[in-house]
Each structure stands twice: as structure tokens, then as C-alpha cells.
């Protein structure tokens, strides 16, 4: 981030939410052998509604990422890929193609279905980033597929008077509108870069589920330390108007929140619908070539 960011006064959060629990991600691999950490797993989908998954990847070893994610389908939700370092080329069955790189975001609405590939466009060097899955309300699950490549320079950024640099990928923070808005799920997606000791406050509606993921340094939240590569889930408490984080050392973290859909969740791999019948239909449509 540049040092010339607009400075916004800190917001007041008078009664910060407490932490509910810390989560250690699960090491796994996906696609053609890409090593990653699944931070938000299927077991947390109800608790963190409308979010379905968060994967973190970060490695200097090409063997961990070189296979990428060859052609695969999605239906019923949105994928938000945030690239911190590296270059990934995506292509889909509708003929779209784009390059996701350093600091950029690809926001894809799978809707009724798409088949796409996500392949590294580098043979060496660091690959680091995140993929977040955001659910769609039942009424939009069969909508037309859509995506937007958001270059790094298009992501609104500001600095708080405490020196925290904030990238607003989605939602609104300190009066700054993010690159993306979604009516049904009201996603808030912030990338926070905090100098040692700096506090950051974010107001949040009580009903919105919220969590933070530390990818460098550590955070103090209340009496709890959230170390690097941990997710912390905030409680939803009446009369608590937001969250307050404090950096221990130079710290980078994602703060993510959203309005729950409170609808049934049926997932089978890359298909997320509301019922098993809809899942069987998705698999049948995929096998019959109707997602392409
Ligand atoms: Fe995908």
C-alpha cells in the first residue's frame, strides 16, 4: 500500500464483541495437488453463515501450486479470490478469461453454473492468497453466472488516524465504500495492515456473523491473543456495536462479516444448494454438459 492514503478518523465502538473461539486451519490439498490451509471448514458453515469456506495458500515452493485448479464446476454461490502475491490465469466455459495478480480480487458469481480453470502463470516465486466462498440466497442460486476482475488499484484504501491501512474489498468501513456490495448477504471484507500496537475498530450489526484471520503478526482481542494463521470467531452479543482489534507487532489480518441467510445449506463438493434434490440436479446437469 502507498503512504499517500486518505486518513479517516477512527470510528467509536463503545461495547466491543467478545471472542467465541479460535480455529486452527486444516492442511489439505485441492485442484491438481495445490497445498492449502482450509480455515473455514464445512463444520463452520452454519455458524458463519453466509460464508461457506475460506482457504489460505502461501508458499515459495512451486511444487505446492504448479498444478493449479484445472477445469471444475461451481453452482449456487460466489467465489472471492484475493491474491496477495503471484499470478493466476482464469478461464471459464462462457469464454471469459482474466489474470489475477498481486493485490487483485476475482469476484465470481457461479449462479446456475460455470466450469472454469484457475492456473498459475508463473513457474517459480511466491504464491499467496485466499479464496472465500460466499453463499447466494435461494432466489439467486440459479441466476446467470457473472464475474468481475478487480485490479489492485481499484480496491478502495484508506488509513486510520492510528496508522492502520485498510483495503475495503467489500462492504463499508469508516465511511469508505468497498469495491463490491451485495444486498442479501451484506459482506464486509477488509484487509488490515496494522503497525505494532495500533488499534482498529469496526462497527457491525449484531446479527452479522464475523471473524478475523491473522496472516502476519498477531492480534489482541480483549484478553485473548490471536496468533498468526489462526481464525477467531466473534460472538453475536446484544448491545455490542462492533469489534476492536489491536496489533502485536506488524500485523496483517482479514476481517470478514456478513448477514446470515438462515436458509438450509446442502453442499456436495463445488455445488452448494438448499436441498439434496437440487444437489442431485446439479450433478446430473454437470454430467450432461449443461453447466458449460
Ligand atoms: Fe473454482
Amino acid at each position: 500500500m502507498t503512504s499517500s492514503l486518505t486518513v479517516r478518523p477512527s470510528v467509536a465502538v463503545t461495547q466491543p464483541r467478545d471472542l467465541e473461539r479460535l480455529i486452527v486451519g486444516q492442511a489439505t490439498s485441492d485442484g491438481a495437488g495445490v497445498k492449502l490451509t482450509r480455515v473455514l471448514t464445512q463444520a463452520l458453515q452454519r455458524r458463519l453463515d453466509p460464508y461457506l469456506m475460506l482457504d489460505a495458500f502461501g508458499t515459495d515452493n512451486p511444487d505446492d501450486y504448479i498444478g493449479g485448479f484445472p477445469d471444475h464446476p461451481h453452482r449456487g454461490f460466489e467465489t472471492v479470490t484475493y491474491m496477495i502475491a503471484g499470478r493466476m490465469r482464469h478461464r471459464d466455459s462462457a469464454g471469459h478469461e482474466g489474470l489475477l495478480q498481486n493485490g487483485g480480487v476475482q469476484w465470481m458469481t457461479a449462479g446456475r453454473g460455470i466450469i472454469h480453470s484457475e492456473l498459475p502463470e508463473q513457474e517459480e516465486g511466491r504464491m499467496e492468497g485466499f479464496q472465500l466462498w460466499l453463499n447466494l440466497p435461494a432466489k439467486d442460486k440459479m441466476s446467470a453466472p457473472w464475474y468481475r476482475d478487480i485490479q489492485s488499484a481499484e480496491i478502495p484504501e484508506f488509513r486510520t488516524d492510528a496508522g492502520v491501512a485498510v483495503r475495503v474489498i467489500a462492504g463499508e468501513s469508516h465511511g469508505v465504500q468497498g469495491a463490491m456490495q451485495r444486498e442479501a448477504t451484506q459482506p464486509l471484507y477488509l484487509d488490515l495492515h496494522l503497525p505494532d500496537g495500533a488499534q482498529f475498530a469496526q462497527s457491525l450489526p449484531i446479527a452479522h456473523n464475523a471473524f478475523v484471520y491473522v496472516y502476519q503478526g498477531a492480534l489482541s482481542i480483549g484478553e485473548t491473543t490471536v496468533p498468526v494463521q489462526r481464525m477467531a470467531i466473534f460472538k453475536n452479543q446484544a448491545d455490542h456495536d462492533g469489534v476492536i482489534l489491536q496489533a502485536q507487532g506488524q500485523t496483517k489480518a482479514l476481517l470478514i462479516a456478513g448477514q446470515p441467510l438462515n436458509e438450509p445449506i446442502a453442499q456436495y463438493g463445488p455445488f452448494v444448494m438448499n436441498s439434496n434434490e437440487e444437489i442431485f440436479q446439479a450433478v446430473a446437469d454437470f454430467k450432461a454438459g449443461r453447466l458449460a
Side-chain angles (χ1 to χ4, degrees), residues 265-280:
I265 300 169
Q267 178 177 5
Y268 177 71
F271 309 123
V272 185
M273 303 299 289
N274 301 109
S275 70
N276 287 337
E277 277 178 0
E278 290 170 333
I279 290 294
F280 298 145

Side-chain angles (χ1 to χ4, degrees), residues 39-66:
V39 178
L40 196 171
T41 59
Q42 218 166 338
L44 291 169
Q45 287 176 343
R46 275 265 133 243
R47 177 62 190 89
L48 294 176
D49 181 7
Y51 295 101
L52 300 163
M53 193 187 84
L54 176 65
D55 283 345
F57 48 94
T59 177
D60 298 309
N61 179 1
D63 294 342
D64 293 344
Y65 62 74
I66 204 74

Side-chain angles (χ1 to χ4, degrees), residues 144-163:
W146 177 91
Y147 84 94
R148 180 181 164 199
D149 277 324
I150 308 167
Q151 303 302 323
S152 185
E154 298 175 75
I155 297 173
E157 297 179 2
F158 66 94
R159 192 177 296 273
T160 68
D161 46 18

